[in-house]
Amino acid sequence: MTFAAGGGSYALPGTGGAGFIGSNTVDELVRRGHGVVVLDDLSSGKEDNLAEVRSKITFMKGSITDIEAVQKAMVQADYVIHLAARTSVPRSVKDPVDTNRINVDGTLNVLVAARDNK
């Protein structure tokens, strides 16, 4: 999940926002009055996890491996909360190259997009 938030105090984009930790983070950011954009490919998270705040956030289905999607999530962001990753150890062992693409290259996309949108 990548989060982008604006409004209240900060604009926060977030990655992995539909997972357990991400959705609880989104709930708290919304409670504090921040504008939040969630970027999540729903590979392990569920959009239902955001049901209580869905009308108060912007949800973008997309992957951190897609630099254009990440850049769109970062527009007007003040801070980024990056929680997106392949979290399954068995899948990581089975396909380490794709895991690297998601976890390493995806994180680089988040950093580049944050830099470019500052």
Side-chain angles (χ1 to χ4, degrees):
M1 159 196 108
T2 298
F3 295 98
S9 301
Y10 302 107
L12 297 161
T15 60
F20 176 77
I21 294 171
S23 62
N24 282 284
T25 302
V26 170
D27 289 347
E28 181 61 20
L29 291 169
V30 169
R31 188 189 71 74
R32 292 182 183 204
H34 299 298
V36 179
V37 174
V38 173
L39 175 66
D40 199 305
D41 66 4
L42 301 177
S43 60
S44 59
K46 297 176 184 148
E47 197 170 351
D48 288 347
N49 290 343
L50 300 168
E52 289 186 30
V53 295
R54 185 65 180 91
S55 65
K56 299 175 183 174
I57 65 169
T58 299
F59 178 80
M60 299 173 61
K61 184 175 181 191
S63 174
I64 59 170
T65 61
D66 178 354
I67 187 67
E68 291 179 7
V70 177
Q71 288 172 332
K72 286 178 186 175
M74 297 288 176
V75 174
Q76 298 181 354
D78 293 316
Y79 297 94
V80 177
I81 300 171
H82 174 46
L83 301 172
R86 170 166 286 164
T87 58
S88 167
V89 173
R91 286 179 65 192
S92 297
V93 171
K94 182 178 179 182
D95 193 351
V97 173
D98 194 46
T99 298
N100 184 81
R101 182 182 67 81
I102 294 166
N103 293 353
V104 177
D105 296 346
T107 295
L108 181 59
N109 284 345
V110 172
L111 295 171
V112 168
R115 177 202 65 194
D116 291 350
N117 285 290
K118 188 62 187 151

